[in-house]
Amino acid sequence: MRIAILCILACLTSPDYSDFVSSFTPSPLTQKTRADFPAINTGTVYLDSAASSQKPSFVIDAQSEFDRTTHSNVHRGAHKMSREATRRYEDARSSLAEFINAGSRRELVFTSGATNSLNLIAHSWGIQNLEPGSEVILSIMEHHSSIVPWQLIQQNFCPGIKIKFCPLNSDNSDLDYDELEKMMNANTKVVSIVHTSNTLGITTDTKRIASIKARKAAADSIYIVDGCQSLPHKKVDVKDLNCDFFVASAHKMVGPTGVGLLWGKEGLLDAMPPFMGGGEMIDIVTTTGSTFAELPGKFEAGTPMIGQAIGWGAALKYLESIGGMEEIEKCENNIGTYLYESLQAIDGVTLYGPTNTSKRAALAAFSVENIHVSDIATFLDLEGVAVRAGHHCTQPLHDMLGISHTARASCYFYTTKEDVDIFVEKLKETIDFFRSQESGGADATGDGEGEIDYFA
Ligand SMILES: Cc1ncc(COP(=O)(O)O)c(C=O)c1O
């Protein structure tokens, strides 16, 4: 009762939503596709798609149909089922190569996810090419999976390398490209910068980064783009990005968990040693040594994630069938703007990243004055609203922002206006509840005491 009264009061006193919010028109794409996603049609308001998206029945069915009718190992069986499994697995590779406009299927390596892809590059390319004095340039907003592999290389193989972090501009709305230019020099061997930040929603200018690298870095340097938060949401053409390597994960783009991609320029991949040894990645094995398979097999040791790759192929088909990536991007910009502007209207909420909503991905990291975000996420969960709270695997970014954690609400094309409205209403109720408590929340100080353990 007390909460309800406080809520009504809060609604009466909170500022009006902007014009955009009051005139919001739902996207036909959301209306058309929402029913395809069984897990979010059970009552949960799912605003955690940046961590992992939901899957449509089409993808779930494709994967389970494979398991029910055709499951078998690939590349090694003489029998019919194995041949069919191999055909479907390789078809998924072809679809993915086409989806990102790779030069050839040889450039497309299936991995267990983007994290695996980034470790592969660091261990294979890094150990072979880095030497004392070499510099690795990352941005301060990188996901841990772009940072830790290079730290492991530094600790275990090349202690003489330097890892440098490019800052953001003064209002944290973009990468500081001038600073990036100043940081690069003839020792710069690796530039690894996220395409779209999973915390701030910033999308970096890959052509600009590639052009700075071409002018300033070592001639044999590489540029890696982490596309985990871009490939699911917009058209990506790896040739147009001007990078050397591109990584992403299926589970953030309506596909299965456990499968990701590494795209690399063929010449670079050809020159790199294998990352892991085992079956499938070899040509000839003797007691004294081994030779290796052609690309991409050289990097796919052991039994791959067959059903998951086939499920990813189905996910790509689904994304094309609903209108393609340009339509998805437009739809997400609409709901992302609605989310951002709705949050902006709540008293005490601080949002991070660009204020220009046309430049933001459809996610919003935020904190609330004097209330720990873990408390917020827990209360929202009790009300059936799923958001993430934690550092989102971007601890250096949070350190730079001067906060230990943020809450993050993230949308996909299936996110409805009602999802955002319920979230905003429940968030206001939560804030009002904590404001009504004299001593604040369980950990209103943000010192981490009593918080839940969060990952990505
Ligand atoms: C920007 C970014 N990079 C890398 C990753 C790691 O992806 P995965 O856990 O699928 O390997 C994530 C996942 O949250 C991400 O958002």
Short mmCIF file of all heavy atoms in Angstrom, two decimals, residues 195-236:
data_model
loop_
_atom_site.label_atom_id
_atom_site.label_comp_id
_atom_site.label_asym_id
_atom_site.label_seq_id
_atom_site.Cartn_x
_atom_site.Cartn_y
_atom_site.Cartn_z
N HIS A 195 33.56 -2.99 -31.53
CA HIS A 195 32.76 -2.30 -32.55
C HIS A 195 31.64 -1.51 -31.86
O HIS A 195 31.50 -0.31 -32.07
CB HIS A 195 32.20 -3.32 -33.55
CG HIS A 195 31.71 -2.71 -34.83
ND1 HIS A 195 31.03 -3.42 -35.77
CD2 HIS A 195 31.80 -1.45 -35.32
CE1 HIS A 195 30.73 -2.63 -36.79
NE2 HIS A 195 31.18 -1.43 -36.53
N THR A 196 30.84 -2.22 -31.03
CA THR A 196 29.81 -1.54 -30.25
C THR A 196 29.99 -1.94 -28.78
O THR A 196 30.04 -3.13 -28.47
CB THR A 196 28.40 -1.93 -30.73
OG1 THR A 196 28.26 -1.55 -32.11
CG2 THR A 196 27.32 -1.25 -29.92
N SER A 197 30.09 -0.95 -27.93
CA SER A 197 30.32 -1.21 -26.50
C SER A 197 29.09 -1.84 -25.85
O SER A 197 27.98 -1.32 -26.00
CB SER A 197 30.68 0.09 -25.78
OG SER A 197 30.45 -0.03 -24.40
N ASN A 198 29.31 -2.93 -25.09
CA ASN A 198 28.19 -3.60 -24.41
C ASN A 198 27.73 -2.83 -23.18
O ASN A 198 26.70 -3.15 -22.60
CB ASN A 198 28.59 -5.03 -24.01
CG ASN A 198 29.71 -5.06 -23.01
OD1 ASN A 198 30.69 -4.33 -23.15
ND2 ASN A 198 29.60 -5.88 -21.99
N THR A 199 28.46 -1.79 -22.78
CA THR A 199 28.06 -1.01 -21.60
C THR A 199 27.58 0.39 -21.99
O THR A 199 26.56 0.86 -21.48
CB THR A 199 29.24 -0.89 -20.61
OG1 THR A 199 29.65 -2.22 -20.25
CG2 THR A 199 28.85 -0.14 -19.35
N LEU A 200 28.28 1.03 -22.91
CA LEU A 200 27.93 2.42 -23.24
C LEU A 200 27.09 2.54 -24.51
O LEU A 200 26.50 3.58 -24.76
CB LEU A 200 29.20 3.26 -23.39
CG LEU A 200 30.07 3.37 -22.14
CD1 LEU A 200 31.32 4.19 -22.42
CD2 LEU A 200 29.29 3.98 -20.98
N GLY A 201 27.09 1.49 -25.32
CA GLY A 201 26.33 1.55 -26.57
C GLY A 201 27.00 2.37 -27.65
O GLY A 201 26.40 2.66 -28.68
N ILE A 202 28.26 2.76 -27.44
CA ILE A 202 29.02 3.51 -28.45
C ILE A 202 29.40 2.58 -29.59
O ILE A 202 29.84 1.47 -29.34
CB ILE A 202 30.34 4.07 -27.83
CG1 ILE A 202 30.04 5.12 -26.77
CG2 ILE A 202 31.30 4.55 -28.89
CD1 ILE A 202 31.28 5.51 -25.95
N THR A 203 29.24 3.05 -30.83
CA THR A 203 29.78 2.29 -31.97
C THR A 203 30.98 3.04 -32.51
O THR A 203 30.92 4.24 -32.79
CB THR A 203 28.71 2.10 -33.06
OG1 THR A 203 27.68 1.27 -32.51
CG2 THR A 203 29.29 1.40 -34.29
N THR A 204 32.09 2.33 -32.63
CA THR A 204 33.33 2.98 -33.05
C THR A 204 33.40 3.06 -34.57
O THR A 204 32.76 2.29 -35.28
CB THR A 204 34.56 2.22 -32.50
OG1 THR A 204 34.45 0.84 -32.87
CG2 THR A 204 34.65 2.33 -31.00
N ASP A 205 34.23 4.00 -35.03
CA ASP A 205 34.40 4.23 -36.47
C ASP A 205 35.58 3.37 -36.93
O ASP A 205 36.75 3.76 -36.80
CB ASP A 205 34.66 5.74 -36.66
CG ASP A 205 34.78 6.11 -38.13
OD1 ASP A 205 35.00 5.21 -38.96
OD2 ASP A 205 34.66 7.31 -38.43
N THR A 206 35.25 2.22 -37.48
CA THR A 206 36.33 1.25 -37.79
C THR A 206 37.24 1.78 -38.91
O THR A 206 38.44 1.52 -38.90
CB THR A 206 35.75 -0.11 -38.21
OG1 THR A 206 34.95 0.06 -39.38
CG2 THR A 206 34.92 -0.72 -37.10
N LYS A 207 36.65 2.49 -39.86
CA LYS A 207 37.49 2.99 -40.97
C LYS A 207 38.50 4.02 -40.47
O LYS A 207 39.64 4.06 -40.90
CB LYS A 207 36.60 3.64 -42.04
CG LYS A 207 35.83 2.59 -42.82
CD LYS A 207 35.31 3.20 -44.11
CE LYS A 207 34.73 2.11 -44.96
NZ LYS A 207 33.34 2.28 -45.27
N ARG A 208 38.03 4.84 -39.54
CA ARG A 208 38.93 5.86 -38.97
C ARG A 208 40.07 5.19 -38.19
O ARG A 208 41.23 5.58 -38.29
CB ARG A 208 38.10 6.77 -38.05
CG ARG A 208 38.84 7.99 -37.63
CD ARG A 208 37.86 8.99 -37.03
NE ARG A 208 38.59 10.09 -36.42
CZ ARG A 208 38.03 11.02 -35.67
NH1 ARG A 208 36.73 10.99 -35.45
NH2 ARG A 208 38.75 11.99 -35.14
N ILE A 209 39.71 4.16 -37.42
CA ILE A 209 40.74 3.44 -36.64
C ILE A 209 41.73 2.78 -37.60
O ILE A 209 42.95 2.86 -37.42
CB ILE A 209 40.07 2.39 -35.72
CG1 ILE A 209 39.21 3.09 -34.66
CG2 ILE A 209 41.13 1.51 -35.05
CD1 ILE A 209 38.30 2.17 -33.86
N ALA A 210 41.18 2.15 -38.67
CA ALA A 210 42.06 1.47 -39.63
C ALA A 210 42.98 2.48 -40.31
O ALA A 210 44.17 2.19 -40.56
CB ALA A 210 41.22 0.74 -40.67
N SER A 211 42.46 3.68 -40.57
CA SER A 211 43.30 4.65 -41.28
C SER A 211 44.39 5.21 -40.34
O SER A 211 45.53 5.41 -40.75
CB SER A 211 42.40 5.73 -41.90
OG SER A 211 42.75 6.99 -41.50
N ILE A 212 44.05 5.40 -39.06
CA ILE A 212 45.10 5.84 -38.10
C ILE A 212 46.17 4.74 -38.00
O ILE A 212 47.37 5.01 -38.02
CB ILE A 212 44.49 6.13 -36.71
CG1 ILE A 212 43.47 7.26 -36.79
CG2 ILE A 212 45.58 6.46 -35.69
CD1 ILE A 212 42.67 7.49 -35.50
N LYS A 213 45.70 3.52 -37.89
CA LYS A 213 46.65 2.39 -37.78
C LYS A 213 47.57 2.33 -39.01
O LYS A 213 48.78 2.14 -38.88
CB LYS A 213 45.89 1.07 -37.61
CG LYS A 213 46.82 -0.13 -37.44
CD LYS A 213 46.08 -1.44 -37.39
CE LYS A 213 45.98 -2.13 -38.73
NZ LYS A 213 47.19 -2.70 -39.29
N ALA A 214 46.97 2.52 -40.19
CA ALA A 214 47.77 2.44 -41.42
C ALA A 214 48.86 3.51 -41.44
O ALA A 214 49.96 3.28 -41.93
CB ALA A 214 46.86 2.58 -42.63
N ARG A 215 48.55 4.69 -40.87
CA ARG A 215 49.53 5.78 -40.87
C ARG A 215 50.58 5.64 -39.78
O ARG A 215 51.74 6.00 -39.97
CB ARG A 215 48.81 7.12 -40.66
CG ARG A 215 48.41 7.80 -41.96
CD ARG A 215 47.76 9.13 -41.74
NE ARG A 215 46.40 9.02 -41.28
CZ ARG A 215 45.92 9.44 -40.13
NH1 ARG A 215 46.74 10.04 -39.27
NH2 ARG A 215 44.65 9.29 -39.79
N LYS A 216 50.13 5.14 -38.59
CA LYS A 216 51.00 5.26 -37.42
C LYS A 216 51.61 3.94 -36.91
O LYS A 216 52.69 3.95 -36.32
CB LYS A 216 50.20 5.89 -36.25
CG LYS A 216 49.65 7.26 -36.51
CD LYS A 216 50.69 8.38 -36.46
CE LYS A 216 51.50 8.52 -35.23
NZ LYS A 216 50.84 9.23 -34.17
N ALA A 217 50.90 2.84 -37.08
CA ALA A 217 51.35 1.58 -36.44
C ALA A 217 52.36 0.85 -37.31
O ALA A 217 52.59 1.23 -38.46
CB ALA A 217 50.13 0.71 -36.16
N ALA A 218 52.92 -0.22 -36.77
CA ALA A 218 53.88 -1.04 -37.52
C ALA A 218 53.20 -1.59 -38.78
O ALA A 218 52.00 -1.87 -38.77
CB ALA A 218 54.38 -2.19 -36.64
N ALA A 219 53.98 -1.77 -39.82
CA ALA A 219 53.41 -2.22 -41.10
C ALA A 219 52.75 -3.59 -40.95
O ALA A 219 51.77 -3.89 -41.63
CB ALA A 219 54.50 -2.27 -42.16
N ASP A 220 53.29 -4.42 -40.06
CA ASP A 220 52.72 -5.76 -39.90
C ASP A 220 51.77 -5.86 -38.70
O ASP A 220 51.55 -6.92 -38.15
CB ASP A 220 53.84 -6.81 -39.75
CG ASP A 220 54.73 -6.52 -38.55
OD1 ASP A 220 54.59 -5.43 -37.94
OD2 ASP A 220 55.56 -7.38 -38.21
N SER A 221 51.20 -4.72 -38.30
CA SER A 221 50.26 -4.74 -37.16
C SER A 221 48.90 -5.26 -37.60
O SER A 221 48.59 -5.27 -38.79
CB SER A 221 50.12 -3.33 -36.58
OG SER A 221 49.63 -2.46 -37.59
N ILE A 222 48.10 -5.66 -36.61
CA ILE A 222 46.75 -6.16 -36.91
C ILE A 222 45.70 -5.34 -36.18
O ILE A 222 45.96 -4.77 -35.12
CB ILE A 222 46.60 -7.66 -36.52
CG1 ILE A 222 46.93 -7.89 -35.03
CG2 ILE A 222 47.42 -8.55 -37.43
CD1 ILE A 222 46.48 -9.23 -34.50
N TYR A 223 44.50 -5.30 -36.78
CA TYR A 223 43.37 -4.60 -36.18
C TYR A 223 42.23 -5.61 -36.00
O TYR A 223 41.75 -6.19 -36.96
CB TYR A 223 42.96 -3.44 -37.09
CG TYR A 223 41.67 -2.72 -36.75
CD1 TYR A 223 41.19 -2.64 -35.43
CD2 TYR A 223 40.93 -2.09 -37.75
CE1 TYR A 223 40.01 -1.98 -35.14
CE2 TYR A 223 39.74 -1.42 -37.46
CZ TYR A 223 39.28 -1.37 -36.15
OH TYR A 223 38.11 -0.72 -35.85
N ILE A 224 41.86 -5.81 -34.73
CA ILE A 224 40.81 -6.77 -34.38
C ILE A 224 39.54 -6.01 -34.00
O ILE A 224 39.59 -5.07 -33.20
CB ILE A 224 41.24 -7.62 -33.16
CG1 ILE A 224 42.58 -8.30 -33.42
CG2 ILE A 224 40.17 -8.65 -32.80
CD1 ILE A 224 43.27 -8.78 -32.13
N VAL A 225 38.42 -6.44 -34.54
CA VAL A 225 37.13 -5.82 -34.16
C VAL A 225 36.29 -6.86 -33.43
O VAL A 225 36.03 -7.94 -33.95
CB VAL A 225 36.38 -5.31 -35.41
CG1 VAL A 225 34.98 -4.83 -35.03
CG2 VAL A 225 37.16 -4.18 -36.07
N ASP A 226 35.90 -6.50 -32.20
CA ASP A 226 34.99 -7.34 -31.42
C ASP A 226 33.56 -6.94 -31.82
O ASP A 226 33.08 -5.88 -31.45
CB ASP A 226 35.26 -7.09 -29.93
CG ASP A 226 34.20 -7.72 -29.02
OD1 ASP A 226 33.23 -8.30 -29.54
OD2 ASP A 226 34.35 -7.60 -27.79
N GLY A 227 32.91 -7.83 -32.57
CA GLY A 227 31.59 -7.51 -33.11
C GLY A 227 30.43 -8.14 -32.36
O GLY A 227 29.32 -8.23 -32.91
N CYS A 228 30.65 -8.52 -31.11
CA CYS A 228 29.59 -9.20 -30.34
C CYS A 228 28.31 -8.38 -30.25
O CYS A 228 27.21 -8.94 -30.23
CB CYS A 228 30.07 -9.48 -28.92
SG CYS A 228 31.07 -10.94 -28.84
N GLN A 229 28.46 -7.06 -30.15
CA GLN A 229 27.26 -6.21 -29.98
C GLN A 229 26.92 -5.45 -31.25
O GLN A 229 26.06 -4.57 -31.24
CB GLN A 229 27.46 -5.22 -28.82
CG GLN A 229 27.76 -5.86 -27.49
CD GLN A 229 26.56 -6.63 -26.90
OE1 GLN A 229 25.42 -6.46 -27.34
NE2 GLN A 229 26.83 -7.48 -25.93
N SER A 230 27.60 -5.74 -32.36
CA SER A 230 27.23 -5.08 -33.62
C SER A 230 26.60 -6.07 -34.59
O SER A 230 25.54 -5.80 -35.16
CB SER A 230 28.43 -4.39 -34.26
OG SER A 230 29.46 -5.32 -34.57
N LEU A 231 27.21 -7.24 -34.75
CA LEU A 231 26.69 -8.20 -35.73
C LEU A 231 25.22 -8.56 -35.50
O LEU A 231 24.47 -8.71 -36.46
CB LEU A 231 27.56 -9.47 -35.73
CG LEU A 231 27.29 -10.45 -36.87
CD1 LEU A 231 27.59 -9.82 -38.23
CD2 LEU A 231 28.10 -11.73 -36.70
N PRO A 232 24.75 -8.67 -34.24
CA PRO A 232 23.34 -8.99 -34.04
C PRO A 232 22.38 -7.86 -34.43
O PRO A 232 21.19 -8.08 -34.55
CB PRO A 232 23.23 -9.23 -32.52
CG PRO A 232 24.63 -9.47 -32.06
CD PRO A 232 25.49 -8.66 -32.97
N HIS A 233 22.92 -6.65 -34.58
CA HIS A 233 22.03 -5.49 -34.64
C HIS A 233 22.12 -4.66 -35.92
O HIS A 233 21.33 -3.75 -36.11
CB HIS A 233 22.32 -4.58 -33.44
CG HIS A 233 22.25 -5.32 -32.13
ND1 HIS A 233 21.07 -5.80 -31.62
CD2 HIS A 233 23.23 -5.72 -31.27
CE1 HIS A 233 21.33 -6.44 -30.48
NE2 HIS A 233 22.62 -6.40 -30.26
N LYS A 234 23.08 -4.92 -36.76
CA LYS A 234 23.21 -4.12 -37.98
C LYS A 234 23.92 -4.92 -39.06
O LYS A 234 24.53 -5.96 -38.78
CB LYS A 234 23.98 -2.84 -37.70
CG LYS A 234 25.38 -3.09 -37.13
CD LYS A 234 26.21 -1.85 -37.11
CE LYS A 234 25.53 -0.82 -36.22
NZ LYS A 234 26.25 0.39 -36.12
N LYS A 235 23.87 -4.42 -40.27
CA LYS A 235 24.57 -5.08 -41.37
C LYS A 235 26.07 -4.89 -41.16
O LYS A 235 26.56 -3.77 -41.01
CB LYS A 235 24.13 -4.43 -42.70
CG LYS A 235 24.78 -5.00 -43.91
CD LYS A 235 24.10 -6.28 -44.37
CE LYS A 235 25.01 -7.08 -45.28
NZ LYS A 235 25.15 -8.48 -44.90
N VAL A 236 26.79 -5.98 -41.14
CA VAL A 236 28.25 -5.90 -41.00
C VAL A 236 28.89 -6.55 -42.23
O VAL A 236 28.55 -7.68 -42.59
CB VAL A 236 28.73 -6.63 -39.72
CG1 VAL A 236 30.25 -6.79 -39.73
CG2 VAL A 236 28.29 -5.87 -38.47
#
